[in-house]
Amino acid sequence: MEIKKSSKADLEKIKGTSLLLGMVVGLAVLFVGFEWAQKDLKIAQNEGISDVIAEEEIEITTQNEPPPPPPPPPPAQEVAEILNIVEDDANIAQVDLLSSEDNQREAQVQTYVPPAQVEEEEEDTETIFQVVEKAPEFPGGQAAMLSFISKALRYPVVAQENGIHGRVTCAFVVNRDGSIVDIEVLRGVDPSLDKEAMRVISTMPKWRPGEQRGKPVRVKFTLPVHFRLQ
């Protein structure tokens, strides 16, 4: 049995038309949606700008007023002058007025104190110096002293026979007048040589004394005496 189809019930005829209408409706809805969104964005931006401008216009600045001037000082009180009338026969004490120069002179006379004289301490004449500004010296110098010792020295016979020789170191004090005192042997070699060295020194003439601060002083002097066998 064949199924009969009605020409009104055939949907294939309107398929293309329905699809076209659907696409048109969809595009129209999409276009309307885009237009609506752009209008809201423009309105929001315009409102923000207007608010900023309005705030800047509303801002008000105030100026500080200068402080009021200080009140004027009170008027000075006038002091009434009182004149005391003195009779001619009244007893008035006499006062001597001195000028500034007279006062200065009196002050100098009253306050002047003569400077104290400092007495220089005299050096003890018994003090013996080891080192002085100017050392004592044999008359004629070092060469004259060696020549005097070589001429005055007598080599002891006992020391010659025993072959004794060497250097005897002696010390003595040159007084303020140049005389030789307090002769002693610091380092000896033999009693005979030590005795001869002391004898030669005791026969020396007066020396030129040592000086300290321009004054003659006592000075201790050390002198070696050499004994050599020929």
Side-chain angles (χ1 to χ4, degrees):
M1 184 175 178
E2 294 181 0
I3 300 173
K4 294 181 179 181
K5 296 181 180 179
S6 174
S7 59
K8 295 179 179 181
D10 191 4
L11 299 177
E12 293 294 333
K13 294 180 179 180
I14 63 174
K15 182 177 179 181
T17 304
S18 301
L19 181 60
L20 183 59
L21 290 174
M23 293 179 63
V24 171
V25 172
L27 290 173
V29 172
L30 183 62
F31 179 75
V32 172
F34 277 117
E35 289 294 329
W36 187 266
Q38 290 179 358
K39 289 181 179 180
D40 293 340
L41 181 60
K42 290 180 180 179
I43 292 170
Q45 292 177 353
N46 293 332
E47 290 178 354
I49 295 171
S50 62
D51 293 339
V52 173
I53 294 171
E55 290 179 359
E56 292 181 356
E57 292 178 354
I58 292 170
E59 183 177 359
I60 299 173
T61 58
T62 59
Q63 297 181 355
N64 296 327
E65 296 181 357
Q77 296 180 358
E78 296 181 358
V79 180
E81 297 182 357
I82 300 174
L83 300 177
N84 295 327
I85 300 174
V86 181
E87 297 180 358
D88 295 338
D89 57 352
N91 294 327
I92 301 174
Q94 185 177 359
V95 179
D96 294 332
L97 299 178
L98 299 177
S99 63
S100 59
E101 295 181 357
D102 295 336
N103 292 333
Q104 292 179 359
R105 290 175 182 176
E106 287 188 359
Q108 291 179 358
V109 171
Q110 293 177 359
T111 59
Y112 175 75
V113 178
Q117 296 180 358
V118 180
E119 296 181 357
E120 296 182 358
E121 296 182 357
E122 296 184 358
E123 296 176 352
D124 189 2
T125 57
E126 300 300 326
T127 302
I128 300 175
F129 291 85
Q130 299 288 341
V131 180
V132 290
E133 296 174 355
K134 192 173 183 180
E137 186 180 3
F138 185 87
Q142 186 76 11
M145 181 181 65
L146 295 177
S147 176
F148 174 84
I149 292 175
S150 63
K151 293 178 180 178
L153 189 64
R154 299 174 183 175
Y155 211 111
V157 178
V158 178
Q160 289 182 1
E161 293 177 352
N162 295 325
I164 301 173
H165 62 90
R167 183 180 64 182
V168 179
T169 303
C170 298
F172 52 89
V173 175
V174 181
N175 277 330
R176 299 173 63 184
D177 59 352
S179 59
I180 305 299
V181 295
D182 300 336
I183 304 171
E184 59 179 342
V185 176
L186 299 180
R187 181 177 297 177
V189 177
D190 183 77
S192 59
L193 298 182
D194 299 344
K195 185 177 180 180
E196 180 62 19
M198 294 177 65
R199 186 194 67 80
V200 172
I201 293 174
S202 63
T203 60
M204 285 183 176
K206 288 186 176 182
W207 287 36
R208 187 180 65 184
E211 294 182 2
Q212 183 72 10
R213 299 178 182 177
K215 296 180 179 182
V217 292
R218 304 182 71 198
V219 184
K220 190 171 185 178
F221 196 87
T222 303
L223 176 66
V225 180
H226 297 273
F227 290 87
R228 297 185 181 90
L229 290 173
Q230 297 180 353

